[in-house]
Amino acid sequence: MKINQQINKSTQFKVLSEDQIEQIFFASLEVLEQTGGQIFHEEALTLFKNSNAVVNGNTVRIPPFMVEEALNFYPRKITLRGRDKKNLLSLQKDTVAFGTGSDLPFTYDRETGERRRTRYQDVKNAGKLVDALSHYDFLMSHGIVGDAPNPQTYDRHQFMAMVENNTKPMVVTSVDGEGLEDLWKMGCLIQGGEEEFRLNPLFVAYIEPISPLKNDRTAVEKLLFAAEKKIPAMYTPCPSSGATAPATMAGMLVQSLAETLLASVLCHLKNPGMPLIMGGVTTLLDMKMSTYSYGAPELSLASAANTDISKWLNLIMFSTGGCSDSKILDEQAAAEQMTSLFYSYLSGANLIHDVGYIDHGTNASLESLVLNQEMMGLVKQFGKGINTDDDHLALELIEKQGPGGEYVTTDHTFNHWKEWYLPDLQDRSDYETWVANGSKTMGDRVKERTQDLLDNYQPKQMTQELKQELKKICDDADKRHA
Amino acid sequence: MNIDFERISELITKGQIEQLQEQTNQAIETGTEPAILLNKGLLPGMDKVGQLWRNGDMFMPEVLRSAKAMSKAMDILRPHLSKDDMGSAGKMVLGTVAGDLHDIGKDLAGMMFEGAGYEVLNIGIDQPNEAFVNAAIEHKPDVLGMSALLTTTMPRMGEVINSLKESGIRDEMAVIIGGAPVTKEFADEIGADLYAPNAGSAVELTKQYFAQNNS
């Protein structure tokens, strides 16, 4: 009988201590109290004016107790449900889900090899791949529907492109409050009504402030609509350290947390208990090229720290990983994507988005989605940790096989080898076998798999009736904005 | 009594050793022709295993379990089979050359040959050249397999082949070599008949070799 045993069921990873988290939290409260944030939305300003906040023009300053009160109301668990009812996704502490990013204006054309504008069909294809690939738990649009009839209603068409070939939960972007309302209506049709949507939402609405500490009309409009209808929403600061946030990671975390906390108070004033999710694409401005970097290691470090903070605040976390600055899917892309996949996974963030991004968030690559499937598999193996029970310590077996023995034919091996990661596209063959199979690179195998899935994978389709109802919402929006 | 050959094949692919032994004994007791049992039950089972293995649908521990089932069934069947019944699945002498203490690769290859119906005499690790020659003289194998994992011990394989020539028995067997530093070029250089890059392909290459040389 053993006592005082502590067993790690999984790997342990943490960037910040509790004291550091408190330092950042208190600093954020001070930012809201002394500096405040700007809001460009009448109803929001009125909500703050009628509260204990101090409003001067567009600037709102918030006392700490309002933040503390608001934070008591946010859910620690939300269960999303995809178009296919079996695709449930529970968002809760240390449960990790991976998904794509959204709205990439360009697409790497697989036929011409050139960069071009993203189209409806590209988003449909991304949806198909994400539906087929097991390590993706949710879908963002990957690309932006650039061939929609009207840029002001593109979000409804993009939503259609996403749900046509995909049955998993989603994170959606919208043009404005009206756009989000249409997407929510479409979501309610798919889930079987407003109540069903509220219980198990089809999607989370992606909304972002403008760092530093600015909240534009459309963002606030979306946030307030989400609060009203209790649609899960993340308010995701996208600061670039050194440009729209301090150059220090700690300073960037303080500022982006202040941006999140401001939204938490606003949503609470609008409708207590709305499902707000904390977010952040916390990275830096590359000082050589003046680009917003998706491949910087600081993105991973700051995101993991942000996730530590989210757990301490009891908020669900939307984080970033699997993304790269490389213009094409090459060695740089794989190295950067793997780095952020690894750290975001270990951090325990709940929704990790932007998987497959290349070209610092401007270029969509379907092949990149397929490559990342394998990389997520590799990363997830790490979460399994090391089991140290008697069977796994294997003392009896070691004794039995003895010096010079072998393990490959034992029952123990037969029973346990499947606990290992099983490579799919990763090649572990010997040289001759590799040559005999055509000397293919990872890139070759990724291309073949991508084509194979696009040609042969059959996602579950919607009924024609549902499709028509959804299409009507798109058409009505186009008419209104004609 | 009717023997369900498909069931026997399935016991092989599933690696159900005891049940296969039982079925094999039963088949022989009830007068099933041993060669028919081999060709209609056991070998098709192993062919299926080979096919699943090549397609990546079966893995080493599973294949070895099937190979072991085959080997145990062959132990029961072998005394009842004539040399002709055996076809190409004959006898193999297998070992690691002098100065080299590695054995898992060689053992895996041996198990795969047993799975193909071969009777495998594994002479072990760190075997001097004459041990290979003596085993070859004594057991008259169809295949002689040698393994080396070190570049420093690779040359021993060429020396064994020369010794076989000096003893006048080189042409009575196929020589197959393997091991991480070994290549096809090296095999050609020292006059080996076959080189296999991994345990799984060794049996397949040997089968092809005999099929070509017997036709």
Side-chain angles (χ1 to χ4, degrees):
Chain A
M1 188 78 168
K2 300 183 188 82
I3 57 161
N4 297 329
Q5 301 285 299
Q6 187 186 327
I7 307 290
N8 289 346
K9 186 155 185 303
S10 72
T11 316
Q12 306 288 309
F13 177 74
K14 214 168 177 239
V15 176
L16 298 174
S17 70
E18 188 166 1
D19 287 334
Q20 286 179 296
I21 294 171
E22 283 178 345
Q23 284 174 352
I24 290 169
F25 177 65
F26 290 131
S28 300
L29 291 181
E30 198 159 325
V31 168
L32 287 181
E33 185 186 84
Q34 300 300 326
T35 313
Q38 283 183 337
I39 294 183
F40 298 89
H41 189 280
E42 276 313 311
E43 187 195 347
L45 286 169
T46 308
L47 283 168
F48 277 118
K49 273 178 199 158
N50 295 334
S51 76
N52 288 298
V54 177
V55 180
N56 290 110
N58 291 99
T59 304
V60 176
R61 287 176 297 152
I62 300 167
F65 72 84
M66 286 183 73
V67 176
E68 302 246 36
E69 187 187 303
L71 285 173
N72 286 327
F73 282 79
Y74 291 106
R76 293 196 295 158
K77 177 169 177 134
I78 300 170
T79 302
L80 305 175
R81 194 184 77 205
R83 177 160 70 73
D84 186 334
K85 286 184 179 173
K86 72 177 199 317
N87 290 332
L88 289 172
L89 179 55
S90 285
L91 310 177
Q92 64 189 57
K93 184 169 170 276
D94 285 318
T95 303
V96 180
F98 284 113
T100 40
S102 76
D103 296 277
L104 298 170
F106 299 102
T107 284
Y108 170 80
D109 190 300
R110 293 171 45 259
E111 273 159 32
T112 64
E114 279 167 19
R115 200 175 87 139
R116 60 160 172 79
R117 291 271 167 205
T118 307
R119 301 170 196 146
Y120 189 93
Q121 186 60 42
D122 299 320
V123 174
K124 251 182 96 168
N125 285 342
K128 191 183 216 184
L129 292 182
V130 166
D131 205 60
L133 299 169
S134 61
H135 293 306
Y136 288 92
D137 304 295
F138 67 94
L139 173 72
M140 285 185 84
S141 72
H142 192 47
I144 191 164
V145 171
D147 51 353
N150 182 345
Q152 201 54 40
T153 58
Y154 90 88
D155 49 356
R156 288 80 162 177
H157 296 276
Q158 188 156 295
F159 184 93
M160 275 298 276
M162 289 167 76
V163 290
E164 271 199 68
N165 271 341
N166 193 279
T167 63
K168 293 182 181 179
M170 307 192 294
V171 173
V172 301
T173 55
S174 53
V175 173
D176 50 18
E178 187 197 318
L180 180 58
E181 184 170 0
D182 276 350
L183 302 192
W184 169 74
K185 282 179 184 160
M186 292 164 95
C188 289
L189 283 171
I190 293 170
Q191 299 305 77
E194 204 174 312
E195 287 165 349
E196 289 295 334
F197 187 100
R198 196 158 53 236
L199 193 64
N200 290 129
L202 175 68
F203 61 73
V204 180
Y206 175 99
I207 311 168
E208 55 179 58
I210 299 172
S211 298
L213 299 160
K214 238 164 47 172
N215 302 276
D216 68 314
R217 188 186 56 78
T218 55
V220 175
E221 198 174 278
K222 290 185 232 177
L223 201 54
L224 292 180
F225 182 76
E228 185 190 327
K229 299 295 181 189
K230 288 207 155 79
I231 303 166
M234 67 248 322
Y235 204 56
T236 304
C238 301
S240 44
S241 188
T244 61
T248 52
M249 293 302 103
M252 172 165 63
L253 290 170
V254 167
Q255 184 191 293
S256 69
L257 183 58
E259 290 163 351
T260 301
L261 294 179
L262 184 144
S264 76
V265 174
L266 176 59
C267 291
H268 182 64
L269 291 173
K270 174 75 178 176
N271 193 3
M274 76 79 76
L276 185 73
I277 291 173
M278 178 163 159
V281 183
T282 42
T283 186
L284 48 78
L285 185 83
D286 182 84
M287 291 303 181
K288 202 168 157 191
M289 302 309 299
S290 74
T291 46
Y292 182 76
S293 177
Y294 277 83
E298 288 81 2
L299 176 143
S300 295
L301 183 59
S303 299
N306 224 359
T307 302
D308 289 341
I309 297 169
S310 77
K311 287 186 230 177
W312 187 81
L313 290 172
N314 285 325
L315 291 173
I316 292 166
M317 182 69 195
F318 176 70
S319 190
T320 310
C323 44
S324 168
D325 294 327
S326 185
K327 263 40 72 184
I328 57 166
L329 194 62
D330 63 354
E331 292 83 351
Q332 182 190 339
E336 291 176 352
Q337 290 172 334
M338 192 62 179
T339 300
S340 55
L341 279 180
F342 222 108
Y343 291 122
S344 59
Y345 179 67
L346 292 183
S347 77
N350 310 117
L351 291 159
I352 296 167
H353 83 307
D354 287 350
V355 176
Y357 263 22
I358 57 169
D359 199 359
H360 45 80
T362 57
N363 199 1
S365 160
L366 295 177
E367 284 157 8
S368 178
L369 298 182
V370 173
L371 174 67
N372 273 268
Q373 158 78 4
E374 183 83 54
M375 298 200 292
M376 288 185 279
L378 296 171
V379 164
K380 282 181 178 176
Q381 188 66 16
F382 221 75
K384 289 188 183 171
I386 304 286
N387 189 331
T388 50
D389 67 15
D390 288 348
D391 184 34
H392 284 77
L393 287 172
L395 262 186
E396 244 175 70
L397 178 71
I398 296 168
E399 164 75 18
K400 191 173 164 215
Q401 301 308 99
E406 56 83 18
Y407 294 96
V408 74
T409 60
T410 62
D411 286 346
H412 191 269
T413 299
F414 191 82
N415 294 332
H416 287 294
W417 77 274
K418 282 182 181 164
E419 294 166 13
W420 305 344
Y421 174 66
L422 191 60
D424 181 13
L425 295 173
Q426 189 189 22
D427 178 84
R428 293 185 187 164
S429 63
D430 54 80
Y431 184 78
E432 285 81 1
T433 304
W434 178 71
V435 171
N437 289 332
S439 309
K440 287 175 191 162
T441 64
M442 185 64 165
D444 297 333
R445 295 190 293 275
V446 163
K447 277 195 185 96
E448 285 177 5
R449 176 62 57 81
T450 306
Q451 195 58 51
D452 176 49
L453 288 172
L454 290 175
D455 289 345
N456 300 314
Y457 178 73
Q458 305 280 357
K460 196 173 160 187
Q461 295 297 308
M462 291 183 285
T463 61
Q464 276 308 316
E465 193 190 348
L466 176 59
K467 229 171 160 175
Q468 285 308 317
E469 285 181 283
L470 298 179
K471 198 172 172 303
K472 187 170 181 311
I473 292 176
C474 298
D475 292 344
D476 289 350
D478 285 333
K479 270 179 221 154
R480 283 199 305 278
H481 290 272
Chain B
M1 184 190 148
N2 284 330
I3 293 296
D4 184 351
F5 292 115
E6 265 180 42
R7 169 85 182 128
I8 289 196
S9 291
E10 196 185 280
L11 289 173
I12 292 237
T13 52
K14 290 192 171 161
Q16 285 167 333
I17 299 168
E18 279 162 28
Q19 278 167 281
L20 181 68
Q21 283 175 307
E22 223 169 85
Q23 292 274 319
T24 307
N25 275 324
Q26 211 178 7
I28 290 175
E29 278 161 24
T30 54
T32 309
E33 193 67 47
I36 293 175
L37 182 61
L38 177 66
N39 292 315
K40 281 190 163 176
L42 300 176
L43 288 175
M46 278 315 287
D47 284 346
K48 176 84 178 159
V49 169
Q51 193 188 331
L52 290 167
W53 162 252
R54 279 190 298 279
N55 291 344
D57 296 325
M58 224 174 147
F59 297 87
M60 207 70 197
E62 297 159 350
V63 170
L64 290 177
R65 183 158 291 202
S66 293
K68 190 171 179 187
M70 175 71 179
S71 159
K72 292 284 181 193
M74 283 304 288
D75 287 347
I76 298 167
L77 211 55
R78 200 169 282 116
H80 304 278
L81 291 166
S82 70
K83 177 80 188 163
D84 286 346
D85 294 336
M86 295 289 292
S88 66
K91 210 183 254 187
M92 178 185 214
V93 165
L94 182 66
T96 304
V97 294
D100 208 324
L101 270 65
H102 295 89
D103 56 4
I104 189 68
K106 158 189 71 70
D107 289 348
L108 287 174
M111 292 176 216
M112 299 301 260
F113 274 96
E114 281 179 342
Y118 275 78
E119 185 182 356
V120 176
L121 294 135
N122 192 335
I123 63 171
I125 52 172
D126 193 16
Q127 290 297 314
N129 299 351
E130 57 271 23
F132 282 94
V133 178
N134 290 341
I137 292 169
E138 190 190 335
H139 298 291
K140 299 186 172 47
D142 304 279
V143 183
L144 178 80
M146 284 184 284
S147 157
L149 196 82
L150 307 172
T151 50
T152 49
T153 56
M154 273 165 61
R156 300 294 89 74
M157 302 202 280
E159 292 166 17
V160 171
I161 292 177
N162 286 337
S163 301
L164 292 172
K165 281 180 192 157
E166 282 160 21
S167 310
I169 54 170
R170 169 65 188 88
D171 296 334
E172 289 168 26
M173 67 202 75
V175 175
I176 183 167
I177 65 169
V182 180
T183 61
K184 175 82 173 68
E185 289 70 33
F186 178 76
D188 292 343
E189 207 177 288
I190 64 167
D193 301 299
L194 285 159
Y195 155 72
N198 56 59
S201 65
V203 172
E204 198 57 35
L205 289 165
T206 306
K207 274 189 193 165
Q208 285 169 13
Y209 174 82
F210 281 118
Q212 278 163 14
N213 286 27
N214 291 342
S215 62

